[in-house]
Amino acid sequence: MAAKEFQKLRPDITEPHRAGDIETIPGGKVTYLAPVPLPTGSAPVDFNQAIGEVNDIFLDFGGSLPTPFTWQFTLGIPFIGFLMLVFLLPAIGGGLMWFIGKDVELFFVGFEGLYNEVFTQALVICTLVLILALAIKCQYHFKFRNDVPTRFHRQRREVAFAPGGGKPPIIVPWESVAAWVTQAQGATQYGVQRQYGLGFGFIDPESDQQHFLELRQPGMPLAMGLWESVRAYMEYEVHTREEIQDPHGLHQAGDPPYEGVHTFHHARRRLHRRYREGEIGLFKVILWYLWHILDLWTIPFHLAEWEIRVIQKAERKILPASLDKWSQSLPQEQWAKPSEELVRLSSEVRRLCEENPHRGIEDIFAEAYRRQGVEA
């Protein structure tokens, strides 16, 4: 399977689906979570911060800002690779010579020889890797500036999607939106790769055209957590971005609404507090400091703040002005209500999850449908 084909596997949402349905695709499967968005029991966590603005009225999926983690990855991989090639590899070689020759002097001979041999090559290779990583980071920077979010309005229980190209926004009912998680693997020129993702899809009621919103995820639990973040918000189970993006409480009153140097210092103070209170041991404290030293301490956090300022000063693409009125708050008596079917099925799913929390969510959905007398 070619790499491009591997990344574009999509389900056919023109076929009727419901939560719990499984569709086989080349190299993997698609598990549907909606229409009729049922709770999955996963914790609502937006690890990659794909969600932008969150307030009492709407949630914007997409349009989020860069995080220090992307800079840690961009700078940390070449730097750690350089340290391993220049210091760890000679240390291993010197250690082997010492072990074989039973003479400590051989360790220094082997270390110095390998160090002189690999230093220049390691410098060139890691510099090229850094340049490549910065080029990829640059692409994502402009993606942040050009992304137009999809808006989930929970008072109206509707979703607005801007297709771009000057076309008017498409508004569909929340409970009609298809959602799925994908897990697939395939052979590429880089070997066997495994991919996970979360997708949303709906059909334009005027043109019958399918529209997709997809985001790759590092793993299945994170894909489920991102879906639960959106679903729980729409069902009034979470209310702020901090609940889904800051489970450890690293943001404090007066902090900017993004990750930066302030979150680094909050995390360090939290680490010291947990150590003093006996929640963690000294080993975890040492690992935390070692990891951040190898990732260049606060430099990625400063770079993230700088990139966010650049994006905020630029003219980012936003939702069309025609959605301004639609995005306003409604009087509470006009708030849309969930369907009776969703209320009944959600209650049954929660009850089944409590009975057997380790049971597969697909089986739980199927059992809930059966017990509530909903036909397939």
Side-chain angles (χ1 to χ4, degrees), residues 13 17 34-37 157 159 171-179 201-203:
I13 61 173
H17 294 286
V36 187
R157 295 183 68 80
V159 183
I171 299 175
V172 296
W174 157 241
E175 292 187 25
S176 72
V177 175
F202 56 89
I203 299 174

Side-chain angles (χ1 to χ4, degrees), residues 29-48:
K29 68 176 182 177
V30 172
T31 303
Y32 282 87
L33 305 173
V36 187
L38 301 180
T40 64
S42 299
V45 177
D46 177 18
F47 177 79
N48 288 328

Side-chain angles (χ1 to χ4, degrees), residues 68 72 246 248-252 255 259-276 280 284-285 288-289 291-292 297-298 301:
Q72 287 177 321
D246 185 29
H248 299 303
L250 299 183
H251 281 84
Q252 298 182 4
D255 285 344
E259 288 190 54
V261 180
H262 55 285
T263 54
F264 173 86
H265 292 303
H266 294 335
R268 186 166 59 160
R269 284 192 288 269
R270 178 177 180 270
L271 178 80
H272 292 171
R273 176 186 59 77
R274 295 181 68 200
Y275 175 68
R276 289 194 304 270
I280 59 174
K284 285 191 175 182
V285 175
W288 189 93
Y289 273 93
W291 165 253
H292 284 87
W297 202 239
T298 60
F301 294 83

Side-chain angles (χ1 to χ4, degrees), residues 132-186:
L132 176 61
L134 289 172
I136 295 173
K137 186 71 179 72
C138 186
Q139 288 183 328
Y140 276 96
H141 170 79
F142 287 102
K143 183 177 183 293
F144 279 118
R145 292 174 57 171
N146 295 326
D147 272 350
V148 180
T150 295
R151 180 160 293 175
F152 292 77
H153 197 305
R154 68 176 177 181
Q155 294 178 3
R156 296 180 182 273
R157 295 183 68 80
E158 293 179 336
V159 183
F161 173 79
K167 297 178 181 179
I170 302 168
I171 299 175
V172 296
W174 157 241
E175 292 187 25
S176 72
V177 175
W180 59 87
V181 287
T182 305
Q183 44 187 329
Q185 66 179 21

Side-chain angles (χ1 to χ4, degrees), residues 89-106:
L89 185 61
I92 293 174
L96 287 174
M97 292 182 65
W98 178 14
F99 177 77
I100 295 172
K102 308 299 182 181
D103 187 349
V104 69
E105 292 294 331
L106 291 175

